[in-house]
Amino acid sequence: MRVLLVGAGGVGGAVTRIAARREYLTHMVVADYDLSRAQAAVEALPGQEDRFSALRLDASDEEAVRRALTAHRCDVLLNATDPRFVMPLFRAALAAEADYVDMAMSLSAPHTSRPYEECGVKLGDAQFELGERWAASGRLALVGMGVEPGLSDVFARYAADELFDEIDEIGVRDGADLTVEGYEFAPSFSIWTTIEECLNPPVVYEKERGWFTTAPFSEPEVFDFPEGIGPVECVNVEHEEVLLIPRWVDARRVTFKYGLGDDFIARLKTLHELGLDSTAKVTVPGEDGPVRVSPRDVVAACLPDPATLGDRMTGKTCAGTRVTGSKDGRRREVYLYHVVDNQWSMREYGAQAVVWQTAINPVVALELLATGVWSGRGVLGPEALPARPFLDLLTEYGSPWGLREEA
């Protein structure tokens, strides 16, 4: 399999380190707007020069991406950029007749008059609108194939196939006890993406009602995370699973809650109150005259790169899916989960836990596609494909998952 990886940041760099250990990969072109970053990702893989190469590429330039896919004879485009670049990369892969995999879906837009009651443009809507074209092309766009969304959706499919006869609620719950030495505020993932998902109206799905929205940080609950992480307060956050899971898994209710913490929420609210979460460009003085910049991009530039925090980070991160329902006439509740210890991921891969946990899942998915275990056409989410092969291969990669009976 020949892969064009677009984005050589924290997640992209972890992808290369994981994929380098797998034989299914024939060649990976590592592309980034910053050529030095792509080159650094390749140079971190000594002895792999024949399987990895670096390329400067602007993810917003759809035609340039199409040309790169064609010139390098790539079978699939793996998108490791932030959600702003989903659609040009998605369309470029379709135009080049290549498969496509991403870890975050096309952006949403709040309802113009009732943002905390009704959905406007939902996450992934722009991609699903092109579903018939993808199906007609015979190619596959596997969307939301990170950890959340991604592995959490695989867990939902596994629960439906093997653990439950009827499902009441699928609730994705994400929490961690990670700390970063020397920083009062240092998000472990892209602040651009974090702001987007945390400050947008969260979406909830109910079978009788469909998709609807609530206020940010609503419905707080304390969830006890496994492997020593312990109780963490989780709140509603906008996330792709709520938009993906109901398309293929029958459940009465689907939610996503993230363990953010009061301090983190307060800082996000402050950014919003000051308008620093905005993506609309404003004019500021520059050395050579006025400059147009996005406040959110300024915030991102002022914070440390999450990929560089691993040496200062301690603790574990947990991604998982809680499922309630019935099996053989009896009530059942389980939590399927995946925990990564930062000390382990740094020692084994030189990547901090959050980006490594995100990166491993598309690499596993690409191997399933390369070997024909997974196949399909059109725009599909992870829960549209059989779960057991994915979970077995994830364990083979040396990163097992867990199941905890809750009741």
Side-chain angles (χ1 to χ4, degrees):
M1 173 180 277
R2 296 180 64 86
V3 178
L4 174 63
L5 169 66
V6 185
V11 173
V15 163
T16 61
R17 295 172 185 180
I18 299 166
R21 302 187 184 190
R22 307 302 297 185
E23 295 182 358
Y24 77 88
L25 183 70
T26 304
H27 192 85
M28 177 175 283
V29 179
V30 183
D32 198 279
Y33 187 80
D34 182 347
L35 179 59
S36 65
R37 194 159 66 165
Q39 290 171 331
V42 173
E43 290 167 2
L45 308 170
Q48 296 274 0
E49 295 82 3
D50 59 329
R51 298 176 70 211
F52 292 84
S53 59
L55 176 71
R56 185 192 181 281
L57 189 63
D58 182 349
S60 67
D61 189 337
E62 187 176 324
E63 176 57 23
V65 175
R66 184 200 65 78
R67 291 197 304 267
L69 284 163
T70 301
H72 293 276
R73 298 175 287 109
C74 292
D75 305 295
V76 58
L77 187 159
L78 174 55
N79 177 2
T81 66
D82 73 55
R84 288 174 292 180
F85 304 107
V86 163
M87 288 313 296
L89 295 175
F90 184 76
R91 290 190 295 259
L94 177 61
E97 298 184 344
D99 289 338
Y100 170 89
V101 178
D102 66 28
M103 292 163 268
M105 297 173 66
S106 60
L107 291 170
S108 63
H111 192 278
T112 54
S113 59
R114 293 168 54 85
Y116 303 133
E117 292 85 21
E118 298 182 29
C119 295
V121 176
K122 301 188 298 300
L123 291 169
D125 274 358
Q127 290 173 284
F128 282 112
E129 286 176 3
L130 295 177
E132 290 185 3
R133 287 183 56 189
W134 274 92
S137 74
R139 309 303 301 195
L140 171 64
L142 178 58
V143 297
M145 191 61 255
V147 59
E148 290 175 340
L151 179 56
S152 51
D153 303 71
V154 173
F155 284 148
R157 173 64 185 267
Y158 176 75
D161 286 350
E162 302 195 26
L163 303 180
F164 289 84
D165 297 324
E166 293 186 347
I167 294 176
D168 292 328
E169 179 170 348
I170 296 172
V172 181
R173 298 293 183 267
D174 179 304
D177 61 1
L178 295 168
T179 59
V180 182
E181 181 185 357
Y183 291 98
E184 292 187 10
F185 184 60
S188 57
F189 203 70
S190 162
I191 188 62
W192 203 101
T193 304
T194 301
I195 288 173
E196 185 72 20
E197 62 190 23
C198 291
L199 292 178
N200 280 351
V203 180
V204 175
Y205 172 83
E206 292 180 356
K207 194 171 184 178
E208 301 301 320
R209 184 175 174 183
W211 287 293
F212 61 95
T213 58
T214 68
F217 316 120
S218 59
E219 299 181 359
E221 66 175 58
V222 175
F223 187 78
D224 188 14
F225 288 91
E227 299 193 20
I229 295 174
V232 179
E233 185 177 79
C234 300
V235 294
N236 279 325
V237 168
E238 181 190 48
H239 234 250
E240 288 91 340
E241 291 94 324
V242 179
L243 287 312
L244 285 171
I245 289 171
R247 296 175 185 268
W248 289 282
V249 178
D250 186 18
R252 293 184 178 91
R253 180 176 166 88
V254 182
T255 59
F256 180 97
K257 292 188 180 181
Y258 197 4
L260 295 172
D262 291 340
D263 182 65
F264 197 94
I265 290 173
R267 292 175 189 270
L268 289 176
K269 287 182 176 179
T270 298
L271 291 175
H272 178 66
E273 289 164 359
L274 295 174
L276 295 175
D277 61 325
S278 174
T279 59
K281 291 186 177 181
V282 297
T283 302
V284 299
E287 291 183 1
D288 300 318
V291 179
R292 299 277 291 169
V293 296
S294 156
R296 192 185 300 186
D297 286 338
V298 172
V299 171
C302 291
L303 290 172
D305 181 350
T308 67
L309 297 176
D311 291 336
R312 294 172 172 263
M313 188 182 293
T314 57
K316 299 176 181 178
T317 183
C318 178
T321 304
R322 182 176 66 184
V323 186
T324 62
S326 62
K327 177 68 174 178
D328 298 327
R330 296 182 178 181
R331 296 291 304 164
R332 190 178 195 187
E333 179 178 346
V334 303
Y335 182 60
L336 301 115
Y337 64 89
H338 183 253
V339 172
V340 179
D341 186 312
N342 186 74
Q343 185 177 6
W344 176 86
S345 64
M346 286 297 297
R347 182 179 67 248
E348 293 294 320
Y349 287 90
Q352 57 104 319
V354 176
V355 299
W356 188 90
Q357 188 182 44
T358 303
I360 189 173
N361 295 287
V363 180
V364 171
L366 288 175
E367 182 159 349
L368 293 174
L369 294 173
T371 57
V373 176
W374 271 10
S375 62
R377 64 179 187 175
V379 180
L380 302 180
E383 55 280 278
L385 300 165
R388 173 58 75 173
F390 186 98
L391 296 175
D392 288 346
L393 189 54
L394 181 66
T395 301
E396 183 185 312
Y397 271 55
S399 190
W401 55 283
L403 187 156
R404 184 178 70 186
E405 293 282 353
E406 301 287 270

